[in-house]
């Protein structure tokens, strides 16, 4: 078990459309991989981590989200493998960040409610309807699997400011 290094903005793997997972093939290594991803995500206080953020080309992401709205609620782990959107509705604009662009927070539009279908960590096909933080996390992580980043959704008028901010932040990343 180990904390992996999180790939930062500028690495080409963050712009790659990732390969579908063959669950049977991955299954033997999956528990250890998920353990590493969870530890890595926790270590940097992230809500989610996609496979390419630790350098792996596979359509898999992990989300760590509070079980309830209660303060200090335990975190629940949701693993999404080969996810697909079934439905997206509504729009909300909120600030978002990403472990691959640490320190940058930008307002981006997202659907308020989504239904997605995916394989869970046991290889079962499940369908989940989500709102709030979980809906946002699903959209953010599914973007990663297609090589997209949250800043791609920012208002074009914000792009010069984002570029400037990234130039300032980059030297602080390791
Ligand atoms: Co991210």
């Amino acid at each position: 078990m180990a904390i992996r290094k999180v790939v930062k903005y500028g690495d080409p793997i963050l712009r790659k459309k990732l390969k579908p997972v063959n669950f049977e093939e991955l299954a033997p290594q999956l528990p250890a991989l998920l353990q590493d991803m969870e530890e890595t995500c926790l270590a940097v206080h992230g809500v989610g981590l996609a496979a390419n953020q630790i350098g792996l080309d596979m359509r898999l992401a992990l989300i760590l989200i509070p079980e309830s709205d209660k303060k200090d609620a335990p975190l629940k782990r949701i693993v999404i493998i080969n996810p697909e959107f079934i439905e997206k509705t509504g729009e909300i604009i909120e600030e978002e960040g990403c472990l691959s662009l640490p320190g940058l927070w930008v307002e981006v539009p997202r659907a308020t409610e989504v239904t997605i279908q995916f394989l869970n960590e046991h290889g079962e096909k499940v369908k989940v309807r989500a709102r709030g933080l979980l809906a946002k996390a699903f959209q953010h992580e599914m973007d990663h699997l297609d090589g997209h980043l949250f800043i791609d959704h920012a208002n074009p008028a914000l792009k010069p400011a984002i570029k400037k901010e990234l130039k300032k932040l980059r030297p602080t990343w390791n």
Side-chain angles (χ1 to χ4, degrees), residues 138-159:
F138 279 150
Q139 294 170 83
H140 182 106
E141 297 313 320
M142 286 167 77
D143 263 356
H144 275 303
L145 307 188
D146 286 325
H148 301 146
L149 294 167
F150 72 113
I151 52 173
D152 303 346
H153 301 291
N155 185 317
L158 292 174
K159 302 262 158 111

Side-chain angles (χ1 to χ4, degrees), residues 69-116:
D69 292 336
K70 283 195 203 113
K71 197 178 170 279
D72 300 321
L75 295 175
K76 181 169 142 189
R77 169 165 112 179
I78 300 173
V79 175
I80 58 174
I81 300 170
N82 301 337
E84 280 171 63
F85 283 113
I86 306 290
E87 204 186 0
K88 289 191 204 182
T89 53
E91 193 190 84
I92 183 168
I93 298 177
E94 278 182 332
E95 266 196 344
E96 219 168 282
C98 177
L99 299 176
S100 292
L101 296 87
L104 183 72
W105 294 89
V106 178
E107 283 195 331
V108 295
R110 293 292 189 186
T112 49
E113 189 162 353
V114 299
T115 304
I116 75 166

